[in-house]
Amino acid sequence: MGKFLLRRVANAVFVVLVTTFGALVAVTEWGDPFRMIGPRMQTPEARAMLNETFGLDKPLFVRYLVYVGNLFSGDLGIDFERRRPVIDLLAEAAPNSLRLALVALAIQVVVGVSLGIVAARLRHSFVDTTITFAAITITVLPLFVLGVWIRDAFSGRSIFGWEAFPLIPRSIGIETTWLQELILPAITLGVGALAFTVVLARGAMIEVLDADYIRTARAKGLTERRVLFKHAARNAMIPVAELSAVQLGALMGGTILVEAIFQYNGLGYLFVRSMNENNHPVMLAVTVYSVALFVIVLMLADILTAWLDPRIRTFD
């Protein structure tokens, strides 16, 4: 297990370093962020001074080494627009994205696995056909379409006098709670990823239910509930756990599309605003943070999968 962990950590570090270099090239090498500030065109002298101030006058490889070194100290640069440390902007947005990711993942896993187990248990029945058809329909529906429909259908609506879903676009001067801002994007993300979990859980459960050890457990006189949840569900959840880890990594990194649709103040919406401002340090920090978080979650998923099935680390 020690060698398995060491390989996974080394792979994660390598991917983060390579991705950081690619992000630095993509963000800083295309276009001059100081050509326009506000409505005014900057002189070459002013742009040269700004480039020197923010370290953009150094060679690419030097900037990369400096940036990687600063990552370990938490120095992600200064925001071009508001002259604030980028780490402060991430600290404000990351908890919102984490909250959104966890709620969306809970919807995806709890509802998706439950529907998948029911469909597998009642395979080839009307219930199975209905669940599978609904899952496939949701799969082919673009997330953008689903998000816009949910936003237009529910934003500004009240439930028993409580404005559960605030109006989008946001109105100036009207305050909303974190729960009001969270509900619609969490439902969109959870339902959008639900179909994959349903189909995967159903297929895994069907495969496990046909295994010899399940027939042996039934022959011993165990109840169907115990066979289903204690013996079958654990092995069937291995691919679901891997998918959930991928989904969690992507969601925690910031789902740009959904956060932009609902103007949810997470990492994705921060990235969109930074693109509009051509704000290199924030764009780069969000990209590196998202990739690093995604890789770490995948690494933890590999470790969890190896713990659930020792054969994986044996033949890795």
Side-chain angles (χ1 to χ4, degrees):
M1 189 68 178
K3 292 183 179 179
F4 178 85
L5 292 175
L6 186 61
R7 283 196 298 269
R8 287 296 179 267
V9 172
N11 289 340
V13 172
F14 176 77
V15 171
V16 170
L17 291 177
V18 172
T19 306
T20 301
F21 182 77
L24 186 67
V25 173
V27 171
T28 64
E29 295 301 302
W30 296 342
D32 185 351
F34 301 120
R35 182 177 180 83
M36 292 285 296
I37 298 180
R40 293 170 43 190
M41 179 79 71
Q42 298 300 304
T43 64
E45 293 77 13
R47 295 208 303 273
M49 182 187 66
L50 289 170
N51 285 327
E52 181 180 0
T53 301
F54 288 94
L56 298 180
D57 58 331
K58 297 182 176 64
L60 174 62
F61 191 68
V62 173
R63 281 186 279 125
Y64 170 71
L65 293 178
V66 171
Y67 192 82
V68 170
N70 290 339
L71 284 178
F72 293 97
S73 63
D75 182 8
L76 301 178
I78 302 296
D79 170 25
F80 285 168
E81 289 293 318
R82 290 159 288 276
R83 300 298 191 266
R84 293 180 57 193
V86 175
I87 190 67
D88 291 347
L89 299 179
L90 291 185
E92 293 174 1
N96 295 332
S97 288
L98 175 60
R99 186 185 296 124
L100 174 61
L102 292 176
V103 175
L105 187 67
I107 295 173
Q108 171 193 339
V109 172
V110 174
V111 179
V113 169
S114 300
L115 292 177
I117 291 176
V118 171
R121 183 68 183 83
L122 304 174
R123 73 181 86 172
H124 307 312
S125 67
F126 174 76
V127 174
D128 179 26
T129 303
T130 302
I131 293 175
T132 305
F133 176 78
I136 294 175
T137 302
I138 294 176
T139 302
V140 301
L141 189 65
L143 187 61
F144 174 80
V145 174
L146 180 64
V148 170
W149 179 80
I150 290 178
R151 181 194 65 187
D152 294 344
F154 294 100
S155 68
R157 301 297 178 91
S158 300
I159 299 179
F160 302 114
W162 177 54
E163 190 178 339
F165 314 117
L167 186 65
I168 301 172
R170 307 278 189 222
S171 299
I172 299 177
I174 297 180
E175 301 209 357
T176 57
T177 65
W178 66 266
L179 181 59
Q180 291 172 305
E181 296 178 351
L182 179 69
I183 295 176
L184 291 183
I187 291 175
T188 302
L189 288 174
V191 172
L194 183 67
F196 297 102
T197 305
V198 171
V199 174
L200 193 60
R202 177 186 180 276
M205 282 296 296
I206 289 176
E207 183 179 354
V208 171
L209 288 173
D210 291 335
D212 292 337
Y213 72 91
I214 295 297
R215 287 192 288 268
T216 302
R218 285 172 174 158
K220 290 180 179 180
L222 298 179
T223 63
E224 186 64 19
R225 180 178 179 179
R226 187 171 183 180
V227 170
L228 192 64
F229 290 100
K230 183 176 181 180
H231 294 274
R234 174 170 177 171
N235 290 314
M237 290 306 102
I238 292 177
V240 176
E242 293 176 340
L243 175 65
S244 299
V246 173
Q247 292 290 337
L248 180 61
L251 293 172
M252 289 176 66
T255 303
I256 296 177
L257 193 60
V258 171
E259 290 189 2
I261 290 173
F262 293 97
Q263 296 183 355
Y264 183 80
N265 291 317
L267 292 171
Y269 194 40
L270 176 62
F271 186 83
V272 171
R273 298 199 307 270
S274 301
M275 286 184 63
N276 294 332
E277 299 167 353
N278 201 16
N279 201 333
H280 288 179
V282 180
M283 294 168 60
L284 182 59
V286 172
T287 302
V288 172
Y289 171 86
S290 302
V291 171
L293 194 56
F294 186 72
V295 170
I296 291 172
V297 171
L298 284 183
M299 180 183 67
L300 295 177
D302 285 342
I303 296 173
L304 175 62
T305 305
W307 176 76
L308 291 173
D309 189 355
R311 295 173 297 177
I312 295 176
R313 62 176 181 264
T314 301
F315 296 102
D316 185 78

